[in-house]
Each structure stands twice: as C-alpha cells, then as structure tokens.
C-alpha cells in the first residue's frame, strides 16, 4: 500500500494546530489561576474572587466527554483520590453537625443559613478537584516539554510586566482589575493583598526552572537566571512578612535535607543555602523585626491570625472529628472570647503588652462575612479535625517522595507546604497547580492516561 503524502501533511498540520490551541489555552488557564481579586466577588461572594469559578461548566463538560470516550475515569492520581475521599468525609461531617445545630434550634448564623453555608464551602473543594483534573488533562494534551516551557515563560513575563507597571502606579495600580478601588501600597499582582502573592512567584518560577532542563545548555542557563531574577525582584519589593518568614524557614529545611556532604551536588546546594540565609538575615531581618514589632504594637493582623488559629485548635480539642463546613460558624463564635483571653496572657508574658487590640477579631465574631481561620491548614483542620491532619500528611508525603529527584520542585513544595500555615487555600489555585504538576509529571506510574508520548522538542 502506498503512503499518501497529502494525508500525512494534513495530519501533521492538524496536530500542530491542536498543540497551538492547547498551548494558548494553557496560557489562559495560568493567567486565570493567578487572578485572585476578580470583581465577581462583589456579586456572588468569595468564591467569585477567582475567575476559575466561571470555568466550572467547562470542567464538567470535559469530564462528561472523557467518560463518554473512555468509559472510565481517566487521569486518576493519588492526589485526586485523597481529595475525593476528603470531600466525602467533609460532606458527611457537615451534614451531621448541621443537623445537630438544627435539633438545638440554630438554623443560621447572622444572615447565613448553616446548611447553605455548608454546601457553598463544599463547592470550593469540588472546584479544586475539578481544577486539578482539568489541568492534568491539558498537560496530557501537550506533547512537548518545550511547548509547556513556552507557556510558563510567557505567563512569567506577563507577571513581571504587571509587577513593573504596578510599582510605577502604586497606590492606584490596576484598581479597575480588583474587587475594591481603595489605594494599595504594596506589590500584589492580581491578588487582593501582598501576603497572598508570594506563593504565585515561587510556583511559576520553580516550574519554569524545572522545564528549562529540556532546553539546550545556554538557553537553560538563561532561563534559570530569568526565573531567579523574577523571584529576587519580588523578594526585594514585597512588604509581606509571611513571605519572608516562609522563605527563611524553607532555607532552613533545605539545609537540613542537604547535610549529606558525600554528594558534591548536595555540598554545592548547601553552600548556596547558607549564603542565601546569610544574605537574608543581613538584609531583611532588621526590617522584618521592626515591621513585626510595629504590627504587634499598633495593628491587629497578628492578633487576628493567631486568634483564629486558637479558635480552630479549641474547636478540634472539643470536637476531634471536626465540625464541618457549615456549623463551624457557630463554634467560631463560641470560642472567640476564650481565644482572646489566651492571647492576652501570651502577649503579656512574652512581650509585656498589657492590652491587645482584638477589635478586628471581635468584629469577625459579630458578622458572617469572611468568617474563618486566617490559615488554610487550620481552617481545614477545623472543618475535618484529625482526618484533615491525616489528609495533609498523606498529601505531603506523596508529593515529597515524587520531588526527591528535583531540587527546585522540592524547594517550591516545601515553601508551599509551609505557606499553608499563613494563607487560605480555597482560591489559591497556584498551590493546586504545583501539586497537579508534580503529581502528573513525576508520578506517571500512578496515572492512567492515553497520551504517554511526550518529546522534549
């Protein structure tokens, strides 16, 4: 049988068009992932702070199409399985505790119906699961690592441009792109505040460096310099104390990991980490301590964060299995005074402060708006109790095992895991992007997908 050159050319052309489409689509997804102050929040609530919610129907359509084509669930990783089981558990606990509150005559907190709240919060978790599956589906459709690299390079470049323009326009930078129009004096990119931006920088820069391994020597070197410049640029302009603290903790963890001097690579990395820690302490510690002291003496953010964490721990102490995603409102209000008392003793004994400013925390207790723990980890622990701790343990263990062969992804993963103590998780899709990326590209044996051929071209 003679080969038809025309048919072959058409097939190659079609494949090229498909790759271009998926590359452009991935770029759009990556931009939407970092956009976390979408004005839609003013109409539908916090879930609208990210435009990812608008893609929910598309996610569902793709799932239906995959089921129709393959007659089974594809791209099923341990990450997804852990999250699915966790969602099912939260659903059960949420229903039980909402029913308990109903039997006690409590049907709502403020203007928020407890059952309605439980369902709305569970939608966050379902959307995260669908987001992970959708990102891994798009990854599976792109057959070239270089194309993937190009997508992340384009988005990182866009973020650098936004950061530069933002610095030039502070305090009224891109106000039309944010949910509120109030002036803002720090670098925040497309997020609501600077404390939520650092994880975006780390995730995108680290993935870019990882994908640069498939480039030629000079291009690889320039990519590493470019990504490092992106990270350092943000490091020197950010005013986020949380980012600086997590960066230092990440360096400490990394130093411990690379204490084995038998490997030359580990020795070089250890020297680099020690040097980075020295520079960090030299240039940032004074400003960080001054900022933290000023926060303690004059503002409420540290009290609010610590207070909400104490509320979470008090709730789990009395309800080890968690209280679900609806009834937690009642328990948040129940333990707020206990939290303030504990903080008062702590700050008096530690810093000699006789009276703390707990006004913001008390304000949260009187309203159902944005009520929650100012820590993603402890918020989820409040939802699911010890089962949440088990979920995070299994998740971290699975991902850490996968990134052992990649120093840059190990650093990024440690940074993100530590960041869970400081930032909310529900719309931090770059966190789930990193997890999905690691799970897909470094855990292929656990994922059943049809597109196994990928060339570094």
């Amino acid at each position: 049988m003679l080969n038809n050159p025309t048919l072959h050319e058409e097939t190659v052309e079609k494949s090229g068009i498909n790759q271009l489409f998926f590359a452009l689509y991935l770029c759009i997804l990556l931009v939407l992932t970092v956009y976390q102050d979408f004005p839609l929040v003013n109409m539908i609530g916090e879930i609208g702070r990210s435009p990812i919610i608008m893609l929910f129907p598309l996610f569902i359509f793709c799932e239906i199409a995959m089921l129709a084509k393959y007659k089974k669930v594809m791209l099923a990783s341990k990450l997804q399985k852990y999250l699915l089981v966790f969602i099912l558990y939260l659903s059960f606990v949420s229903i039980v505790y909402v029913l308990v509150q109903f039997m006690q005559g409590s049907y709502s907190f403020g203007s928020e119906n407890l059952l309605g709240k439980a369902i709305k919060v569970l939608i966050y978790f379902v959307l995260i699961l669908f987001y992970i599956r959708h990102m891994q589906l798009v990854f599976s459709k792109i057959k070239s690592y270089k194309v993937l690299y190009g997508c992340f390079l384009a988005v990182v470049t866009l973020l650098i441009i936004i950061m530069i323009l933002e610095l030039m326009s502070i305090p009224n930078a891109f106000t039309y792109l944010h949910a509120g129009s109030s002036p803002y004096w720090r670098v925040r990119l497309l997020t609501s505040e600077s404390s939520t931006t650092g994880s975006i920088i780390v995730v995108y820069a680290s993935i870019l460096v990882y994908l640069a391994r498939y480039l030629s020597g000079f291009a690889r070197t320039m990519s590493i310099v470019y990504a490092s410049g992106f990270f350092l640029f943000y490091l020197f302009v950010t005013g986020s104390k949380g980012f600086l603290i997590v960066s230092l903790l990440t360096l400490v963890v990394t130093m411990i990991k690379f204490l084995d001097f038998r490997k030359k690579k580990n020795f070089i990395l250890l020297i680099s980490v020690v040097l980075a820690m020295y520079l960090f302490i030299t240039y940032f510690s004074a400003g960080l301590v001054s900022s933290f002291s000023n926060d303690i003496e004059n503002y409420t953010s540290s009290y609010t964060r610590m207070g909400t964490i104490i509320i979470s721990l008090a709730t789990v102490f009395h309800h080890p299995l968690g209280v679900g995603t609806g009834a937690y409102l009642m328990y948040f209000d129940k333990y707020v005074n206990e939290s303030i008392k504990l903080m008062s003793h702590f700050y008096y004994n530690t810093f000699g402060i006789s009276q703390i400013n707990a006004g913001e925390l008390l304000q949260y207790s009187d309203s159902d708006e944005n009520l929650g723990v100012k820590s993603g980890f402890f918020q989820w622990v409040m939802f699911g109790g010890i089962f949440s701790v088990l979920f995070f343990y299994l998740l971290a263990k699975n991902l850490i095992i996968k990134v052992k062969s990649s120093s840059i992804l190990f650093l990024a993963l440690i940074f993100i895991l530590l960041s869970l103590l400081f930032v909310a998780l529900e719309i931090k899709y770059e966190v789930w992007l990193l997890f999905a990326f690691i799970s897909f590209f470094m855990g292929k044996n656990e994922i059943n997908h049809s597109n196994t051929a990928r060339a570094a071209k």
Side-chain angles (χ1 to χ4, degrees), residues 180-191:
S181 58
S182 302
Y184 194 82
W185 296 90
R186 295 180 179 179
V187 170
R188 57 175 174 173
L189 291 180
L190 297 176
T191 69

Side-chain angles (χ1 to χ4, degrees), residues 83-99:
L83 188 55
L84 176 61
V85 173
F86 186 58
I87 292 171
L88 294 175
Y89 175 78
L90 285 184
S91 301
F92 173 75
V93 172
S94 299
I95 292 173
V96 169
Y97 270 85
V98 166
L99 289 177

Side-chain angles (χ1 to χ4, degrees), residues 331-345:
Y331 295 96
F332 194 99
D333 183 64
K334 180 178 180 179
Y335 296 116
V336 66
N337 290 326
E338 182 178 331
S339 171
I340 293 174
K341 290 179 182 178
L342 287 173
M343 280 198 301
S344 297
H345 289 299

Side-chain angles (χ1 to χ4, degrees), residues 92-346:
F92 173 75
V93 172
S94 299
I95 292 173
V96 169
Y97 270 85
V98 166
L99 289 177
V100 168
Q101 292 298 319
F102 281 4
M103 288 187 292
Q104 295 176 353
S106 300
Y107 301 96
S108 61
F109 181 83
S111 60
E112 195 79 66
N113 179 273
L114 297 183
L115 180 59
K117 181 66 173 181
I119 295 173
K120 285 194 292 185
V121 175
L122 285 171
I123 291 175
Y124 283 105
F125 291 90
V126 175
L127 185 56
I128 289 170
L129 176 60
F130 276 90
Y131 172 83
I132 291 171
R133 287 186 52 77
H134 194 74
M135 291 303 301
Q136 293 187 335
L137 172 63
V138 176
F139 290 152
S140 72
K141 297 299 181 182
I142 298 178
K143 298 181 181 180
S144 169
Y145 285 108
K146 290 185 178 179
V147 172
L148 280 169
Y149 167 84
C151 294
F152 278 91
L153 177 63
V155 176
V156 166
T157 302
L158 176 62
L159 294 178
I160 292 175
I161 293 172
I162 292 175
M163 199 185 306
I164 293 173
L165 294 176
E166 189 176 25
L167 285 169
M168 295 170 60
S169 308
I170 283 177
N172 298 304
F174 302 110
T175 52
Y176 51 88
L177 293 177
H178 292 274
S181 58
S182 302
Y184 194 82
W185 296 90
R186 295 180 179 179
V187 170
R188 57 175 174 173
L189 291 180
L190 297 176
T191 69
S192 59
E193 57 184 56
S194 61
S195 62
T196 64
T197 308
S199 54
I200 294 173
I201 308 297
V202 170
V203 169
Y204 281 68
S206 62
I207 292 179
L208 185 65
V209 171
Y210 174 81
L211 292 173
R213 67 193 297 181
Y214 299 102
L215 304 178
S216 61
F218 178 75
R220 184 189 308 117
T221 301
M222 293 305 297
S223 295
I224 294 174
V225 171
Y226 190 67
S228 301
F230 175 50
F231 175 82
L232 291 174
F233 180 31
Y234 176 77
L235 179 64
F236 282 99
V237 300
T238 183
S240 171
K241 298 184 293 295
F243 176 77
L244 297 175
I245 292 171
V246 174
S247 296
L248 180 59
L249 291 175
T250 302
L251 291 175
V252 172
V253 173
T254 305
M255 185 178 67
I256 294 174
K257 180 182 186 296
F258 295 118
L259 281 177
D260 186 359
F261 297 108
R262 291 173 296 180
K263 296 180 180 179
K264 183 179 179 181
K265 177 183 177 183
N266 285 359
F267 180 76
I268 295 174
L269 285 172
L270 180 61
I271 296 299
S272 300
V273 168
V274 172
L275 179 61
M277 289 180 63
Y278 172 77
L279 293 174
F280 182 94
I281 294 173
T282 301
Y283 291 101
F284 296 108
S285 60
L288 186 61
V289 171
S290 175
S291 177
F292 184 69
S293 299
N294 184 54
D295 185 35
I296 290 177
E297 293 173 3
N298 302 303
Y299 301 105
T300 63
S301 61
S302 62
Y303 302 129
T304 302
R305 187 178 300 277
M306 182 176 178
T308 57
I309 290 174
I310 293 174
I311 291 171
S312 171
L313 294 174
T315 301
V316 175
F317 178 78
H318 293 93
H319 306 271
L321 299 181
V323 295
T325 58
Y328 86 93
L329 296 172
M330 307 297 295
Y331 295 96
F332 194 99
D333 183 64
K334 180 178 180 179
Y335 296 116
V336 66
N337 290 326
E338 182 178 331
S339 171
I340 293 174
K341 290 179 182 178
L342 287 173
M343 280 198 301
S344 297
H345 289 299
F346 171 79

Side-chain angles (χ1 to χ4, degrees), residues 381-424:
V381 168
M382 190 174 186
F383 288 154
I386 56 176
F387 198 86
S388 295
V389 177
L390 177 62
F391 165 76
F392 281 113
Y393 169 76
L394 293 175
L395 177 69
K397 179 182 177 182
N398 179 259
L399 294 173
I400 289 173
I401 290 174
K402 287 182 172 63
V403 298
K404 281 185 175 180
S405 61
S406 173
S407 299
I408 187 63
L409 290 184
F410 174 83
L411 279 169
L413 179 60
I414 295 301
F415 180 95
I416 292 301
L417 291 176
L418 291 172
S419 295
L420 303 186
L421 300 174
F422 296 91
V423 299

